[in-house]
Amino acid sequence: MSTKITGVYRFAQNVLRPIMTPWVKIDAQGTENIPENGPYLLIVNHLSAVDPLSLCWFYMKRKTKIRFLAKKSMFSVPVMGTIFAGMGLIPVDREVNPAQSLEAATEALKDGDIVAIWPEGTFTQDPDQWPMSFKTGAARLALDTGVSVVPIAQWGAQFVKGPYSSKIDFRPGRTIRYQIMPPVDLSDLMSDQGADNHEAVKEATSRMHTALTKGVAQLRGLEPPTRMWQAKTKAGPWWEKEGKKLEEKKAKKAGK
């Protein structure tokens, strides 16, 4: 499939242009790390519901089509669902068979497409908004297809729309910053086993997380945490520093 913008994708671009142009300014550094052609996999840290929109708009301005995973329920929305399907977005049905979305993404990459994925699976739960633990889908896609993995670290989308807020900041000139990192080197992890090599999947996931976290650190001008926030256990550096204090306060209050 061609990565050129045509058909419904071009229609969506024309619809978005008068909205996005005055509203969102994307400040992208490291664009030299973007491959000239697909296929390749984009991995992005997840801060806000506007993440896919801003990334799509960034690539639209580059006259390039990308495909990304979207909740299956979005495809049932009148008009918008038709547009999503026409743009080639990949539906994700988490309740029935989420693995089907990875199969569809694999086929898209094999067809030469550019696919974007947010490896955290949902908005980061890290209280300081660092990338939290990744699911393994991105690593499995990379190992099964052999495509390049390009990390796009971002910062600022959460100020346009908070991750769990219904409010959107529509003031013009909202800035979202991208730090596009060099492709993650997974060459030593590639084998005929692909994603069946569980140790390779684990290591690839770790390298991807390290690359994105490094990019976020560059954008924020801060040192990254030495440990990541674990989505399942809600354990991480913030908890060790602040969470225990909260538990102690609760215990004292309960003892009164």
Side-chain angles (χ1 to χ4, degrees), residues 109-140:
L109 290 168
K110 289 180 178 179
D111 285 343
D113 291 340
I114 302 165
V115 174
I117 189 170
W118 284 259
E120 293 158 288
T122 187
F123 308 132
T124 181
Q125 296 164 12
D126 183 292
D128 291 327
Q129 296 181 306
W130 292 100
M132 67 175 182
S133 55
F134 284 5
K135 296 183 181 300
T136 60
R140 288 156 59 194

Side-chain angles (χ1 to χ4, degrees), residues 15 21 52 149 166 206:
V15 170
T21 300
V149 179
S166 60
S206 176

